[in-house]
Amino acid sequence: MQNPKRYTITAALPYTNGPIHIGHLAGVYVPSDIYSRYLRLQGRDVVFVCGSDEHGVAISMKAKKEGITPQEVIDKYDGIIRKSFADFGISFDNYSRTSAEIHHKTASEFFKKLYDKGDFIEEITEQLYDAKANQFLADRFVVGTCPKCGNEEAYGDQCEKCGSTLNATDLINPKSTITGETPVLKSTKHWFLPLDRYDAFLREWILEGHKNDWKPNVYGQVKSWIDGGLEPRAVTRDLDWGIDVPVEGAEGKKLYVWFDAPIGYISSTKEWAAREGKDWEPYWKDKDTKLVHFIGKDNIVFHCVIFPAMLKAEGSFILPDNVPANEFLNLEGNKLSTSKNWAVWLHEYLEEFPNQQDVLRYALTSNAPETKDNDFTWKDFQARNNNELVAIFGNFINRVVVLTNKYYNGIVPTPNELSEVDEQTLEELKAYPAVISSSIERYRFREALGEMMNVARLGNKYLADEEPWKMVKTDAERTKTQMYVALQIAAALSSLCEPFLPFTSQKLLRMLNIDVNNWNLEFDNWTLLPAGHQIGEAELLFSKIEDEAIQKQIDKLEATKTANSAENKKAEPQKELIQFEDFAKMDIRVGTILEAEKMPKANKLLILKVDTGIDVRTIVSGIAESFKPEDIIGKRVTVLVNLAPRNLRGVESQGMILMTTNAEGKLVFVNPDAEGVSNGETIN
């Protein structure tokens, strides 16, 4: 759509079963914020909405795990998420929540309208039921073997290993995650949206209408889904948490979360309009409105097939103009995981890197998974800050502001005649807003950010080539022109960086003493900062991030990896029963290592002299790869003293030191208080 009257921009509603992490930011919230800020800078009519997704089984699962109520879960995480977004500068016009009364009313009315029109199929189906828990099992409460790839930990709605969409009844050897029992099939009544009725509409609207303007990863997934054959999809569920199904005979049933969640965009817009004294309907029902959904790739089908089918069935709503979904961001080579705590949490980042929101925004946009999965590493984060933001952007601005204050007391000098280099530089500067706009309009935010940084590179090159700090000694008038040109580049950057680096933009506007910030850069005789304008003092836009800060984050992730290993490690099964007399045959004593040396020509063996209290004896132990001899002298150990002697490489070993391993697989001397030794570890 060209030149729409208004824009409705939605960002996927985050589940309130955990905080926001960098995968969410890179996939959805940073790109949607860049787009919204850019449009506002142009003076466009924009509403940018989001809200907490507070229904569905993910909330119930979290509540059960933490031993609290679903309401306590959503209140806790809604507060964390809301504050994180605000502190990070995500500029929602409205951030709502699906537990709000306006959303319950909107979703119920939407369902009722489709129900009254006869758009649903009512069916009695067999669903998995946990007899021990006395409840039907939502998809996420069932795990089993994926019928397509053999993954033994697939959920009832999706296999996270192969990405296949599943029904819980498809799983092989299903188990209830509530009790561990094998569920049974039990009849229950539900309502279904017959997606197959919308096959022709979806083929025409997407496969024909958006063949050339939707991202290939989005278009490809949608085409695959439609070509695979559309089937009716349940819009209700047997749950105890969510929005009541507003029809007779539906007691104890709730709207399926995938049905109610996207309606949250509409209810959030209504909430905003009521607060601002506006009419919400044009933002959802006027053909001159451009609707854009920002989502991650796991939500493509819902936003490109199911929600449009719902909107089409309702009849009065516009359809999305684009759904620029991103792929996934991995972390240090591994898939991000909320449940495994393998993530960089936004609220923790903001505490550990105060006032450095824009560094993370920059790193995530530079490395955005726009067309394929990408990897976030702390070393790359550090390099982008130190080598790009500090060395290029910050360096240019600092030199310009410092020199202007040094030479002219902070007053923009009056230029003299422009040289050919000056005119070429300003011509190049003048072209950048359109170049960056073109990239943003096509949802190529990485490319747009690169072009914005090229403006800073242009400024650095100009200063390096012109060297005003040398010129001022021989030609003060020429220096005025050089500094005037450099200041125009700095002023342009204050606007051009705002969608990407809003906190930096505010600092720069303050430094340059600019009141109004907009994208419509008017080059009146090249003037963005007129001669005679007073700028402020220099302040550092970015600061170098040291190795220690990065190592701390890497160590934090390593600790998470260790904790996950410990949690996932299963104790070996118990050996066959023995009698007390068998145990009594073993003579186990406390001893002290007096001497230790490596066995010649053996990598694994140490020769130990051990005081057992009854004698001092030689014991050969296979622990050389885990311990240095000098580190274990004086160590108190547990010794099996009546083990038959054994000759090892010519040395007689008279006993055995008892050991176990920790979660990382490292040997630990038997001591129940030793760090990392878990219940169930075998002693050998």
Side-chain angles (χ1 to χ4, degrees):
M1 183 185 292
Q2 301 300 316
N3 301 314
K5 278 187 182 175
R6 66 192 71 76
Y7 291 79
T8 301
I9 300 165
T10 74
L13 308 186
Y15 260 144
T16 45
N17 66 332
I20 294 296
H21 60 56
I22 57 169
H24 302 130
L25 294 171
V28 177
Y29 305 109
V30 170
S32 58
D33 190 58
I34 290 170
Y35 189 64
S36 301
R37 286 177 176 276
Y38 157 76
L39 292 172
R40 288 196 205 100
L41 282 173
Q42 292 196 319
R44 307 288 184 88
D45 182 356
V46 173
V47 62
F48 177 27
V49 294
C50 189
S52 291
D53 184 353
E54 300 182 334
H55 298 138
V57 73
I59 309 302
S60 301
M61 289 177 79
K62 190 73 172 181
K64 276 185 167 60
K65 187 175 181 181
E66 296 192 4
I68 56 178
T69 66
Q71 189 65 48
E72 288 173 310
V73 170
I74 64 175
D75 288 345
K76 173 184 174 181
Y77 289 111
D78 174 73
I80 292 171
I81 291 169
R82 200 175 281 265
K83 184 175 188 304
S84 297
F85 279 145
D87 291 347
F88 195 59
I90 303 296
S91 61
F92 297 124
D93 291 298
N94 197 61
Y95 188 83
S96 188
R97 51 193 304 188
T98 60
S99 60
E101 185 182 343
I102 192 169
H103 176 69
H104 276 243
K105 187 169 185 289
T106 302
S108 295
E109 288 173 352
F110 197 105
F111 178 92
K112 194 69 166 63
K113 183 170 180 181
L114 268 59
Y115 176 85
D116 290 342
K117 288 171 63 184
D119 283 320
F120 295 132
I121 299 169
E122 185 180 309
E123 278 187 13
I124 293 177
T125 62
E126 294 209 308
Q127 303 280 319
L128 293 177
Y129 183 84
D130 186 331
K132 189 173 181 180
N134 193 28
Q135 70 176 77
F136 283 98
L137 294 173
D139 297 336
R140 284 269 154 170
F141 280 124
V142 187
V143 293
T145 302
C146 173
K148 299 185 179 177
C149 75
N151 171 28
E152 294 180 357
E153 296 180 355
Y155 289 108
D157 59 349
Q158 186 180 39
C159 174
E160 294 189 347
K161 187 173 181 182
C162 69
S164 297
T165 301
L166 303 170
N167 291 310
T169 49
D170 297 335
L171 293 175
I172 301 163
N173 299 323
K175 289 280 187 290
S176 163
T177 62
I178 301 172
T179 63
E181 298 286 310
T182 299
V184 296
L185 288 170
K186 187 173 178 179
S187 296
T188 182
K189 180 170 67 176
H190 283 294
W191 287 265
F192 292 75
L193 180 67
L195 288 177
D196 45 319
R197 284 186 199 165
Y198 301 94
D199 184 276
F201 150 68
L202 290 167
R203 286 182 183 278
E204 181 184 351
W205 174 59
I206 299 177
L207 301 190
E208 295 303 321
H210 288 294
K211 185 181 289 186
N212 299 318
D213 63 324
W214 280 20
K215 291 169 71 170
N217 58 313
V218 178
Y219 184 86
Q221 193 180 132
V222 173
K223 187 176 189 307
S224 173
W225 229 72
I226 294 173
D227 288 346
L230 299 175
E231 296 176 356
R233 193 169 179 93
V235 297
T236 60
R237 265 292 182 258
D238 291 291
L239 285 174
D240 58 1
W241 181 252
I243 299 173
D244 292 331
V245 177
V247 296
E248 281 187 31
E251 292 72 25
K253 299 183 190 299
K254 307 292 182 185
L255 295 183
Y256 206 160
V257 68
W258 67 257
F259 182 86
D260 103 70
I263 297 170
Y265 302 138
I266 301 168
S267 57
S268 186
T269 308
K270 284 183 176 181
E271 194 174 72
W272 163 79
R275 187 182 67 241
E276 301 296 324
K278 291 177 177 281
D279 180 4
W280 72 271
E281 291 206 359
Y283 293 88
W284 279 96
K285 299 189 174 185
D286 191 309
K287 61 179 176 56
D288 290 326
T289 298
K290 183 170 182 171
L291 172 62
V292 183
H293 295 311
F294 283 88
I295 56 167
K297 73 174 176 184
D298 51 338
N299 265 322
I300 288 173
V301 167
F302 294 106
H303 286 74
C304 300
V305 176
I306 298 172
F307 190 41
M310 290 164 56
L311 296 175
K312 181 73 172 172
E314 198 278 347
S316 67
F317 287 88
I318 57 171
L319 299 170
D321 186 80
N322 211 313
V323 186
N326 276 351
E327 298 291 289
F328 288 152
L329 185 73
N330 297 321
L331 172 61
E332 298 285 356
N334 292 309
K335 186 177 178 182
L336 281 154
S337 172
T338 299
S339 60
K340 294 176 181 173
N341 195 30
W342 189 256
V344 176
W345 302 107
L346 179 55
H347 66 294
E348 291 181 1
Y349 172 87
L350 293 169
E351 289 169 7
E352 291 163 6
F353 292 90
N355 303 314
Q356 291 182 294
Q357 299 97 321
D358 282 353
V359 181
L360 185 57
R361 288 177 69 110
Y362 182 82
L364 293 176
T365 307
S366 301
N367 196 28
E370 291 181 348
T371 54
K372 64 179 178 62
D373 290 359
N374 271 353
D375 195 40
F376 176 94
T377 70
W378 280 109
K379 290 290 187 186
D380 179 70
F381 167 85
Q382 180 188 28
R384 290 190 187 278
N385 178 76
N386 295 353
N387 304 340
E388 296 173 26
L389 290 177
V390 174
I392 299 170
F393 195 133
N395 180 52
F396 168 66
I397 295 299
N398 190 58
R399 288 201 288 181
V400 172
V401 176
V402 166
L403 292 178
T404 303
N405 276 290
K406 182 178 179 181
Y407 299 157
Y408 313 115
N409 295 317
I411 295 171
V412 178
T414 302
N416 295 290
E417 187 177 349
L418 298 178
S419 70
E420 187 178 341
V421 170
D422 300 335
E423 289 186 347
Q424 281 178 351
T425 301
L426 290 170
E427 279 286 352
E428 198 173 330
L429 174 65
K430 194 174 181 182
Y432 270 109
V435 170
I436 298 169
S437 287
S438 174
S439 296
I440 292 176
E441 297 278 6
R442 290 176 292 130
Y443 313 104
R444 295 182 178 179
F445 303 112
R446 263 167 60 176
E447 183 179 277
L449 180 68
E451 294 295 350
M452 185 278 291
M453 284 297 288
N454 283 339
V455 178
R457 288 187 176 92
L458 175 72
N460 270 325
K461 184 178 186 309
Y462 179 78
L463 286 181
D465 291 348
E466 294 298 298
E467 299 181 309
W469 47 89
K470 289 184 180 177
M471 185 65 70
V472 73
K473 297 170 186 173
T474 58
D475 190 343
E477 291 303 307
R478 173 63 191 147
T479 306
K480 288 179 181 176
T481 309
Q482 291 170 336
M483 291 309 302
Y484 175 84
V485 171
L487 282 160
Q488 304 313 309
I489 299 172
L493 273 172
S494 69
S495 288
L496 296 176
C497 81
E498 201 273 352
F500 313 98
L501 310 172
F503 297 90
T504 303
S505 175
Q506 286 303 310
K507 275 191 197 174
L508 191 43
L509 290 168
R510 189 166 62 245
M511 262 195 273
L512 298 178
N513 194 23
I514 298 174
D515 294 328
V516 180
N517 189 19
N518 64 62
W519 194 272
N520 306 320
L521 303 177
E522 297 296 337
F523 289 82
D524 179 19
N525 296 323
W526 307 109
T527 305
L528 293 174
L529 276 184
H533 176 86
Q534 176 75 56
I535 70 168
E537 294 293 321
E539 57 177 296
L540 285 180
L541 288 182
F542 308 101
S543 54
K544 194 176 178 191
I545 294 174
E546 301 297 341
D547 291 344
E548 296 77 35
I550 295 303
Q551 192 58 49
K552 184 180 174 185
Q553 297 303 319
I554 293 170
D555 292 345
K556 191 172 164 184
L557 287 173
E558 282 302 315
T560 294
K561 198 178 280 186
T562 301
N564 285 337
S565 298
E567 193 173 317
N568 295 331
K569 188 174 181 182
K570 293 178 181 173
E572 291 180 20
Q574 176 182 303
K575 294 178 181 177
E576 64 183 57
L577 292 174
I578 62 169
Q579 300 303 314
F580 175 77
E581 290 75 17
D582 297 322
F583 175 76
K585 290 177 184 176
M586 291 191 289
D587 191 346
I588 301 173
R589 310 269 178 143
V590 174
T592 303
I593 298 173
L594 304 177
E595 299 174 20
E597 62 178 312
K598 280 199 164 187
M599 171 81 78
K601 299 180 182 178
N603 294 330
K604 294 183 178 180
L605 301 179
L606 290 183
I607 303 171
L608 311 176
K609 280 279 194 298
V610 182
D611 180 354
T612 66
I614 51 176
D615 56 21
V616 174
R617 63 177 65 189
T618 299
I619 296 176
V620 179
S621 186
I623 60 174
E625 291 179 329
S626 300
F627 302 98
K628 294 177 182 175
E630 61 269 24
D631 291 342
I632 60 172
I633 293 171
K635 183 82 178 170
R636 302 198 78 198
V637 292
T638 312
V639 190
L640 179 62
V641 294
N642 65 335
L643 187 70
R646 187 177 176 193
N647 193 293
L648 295 169
R649 292 181 177 261
V651 178
E652 186 176 66
S653 180
Q654 301 170 302
M656 182 179 284
I657 307 290
L658 302 188
M659 311 288 293
T660 187
T661 55
N662 65 13
E664 298 171 59
K666 293 179 181 175
L667 285 173
V668 178
F669 289 101
V670 168
N671 170 3
D673 293 327
E675 189 175 339
V677 176
S678 307
N679 290 340
E681 302 291 10
T682 53
I683 296 168
N684 47 45

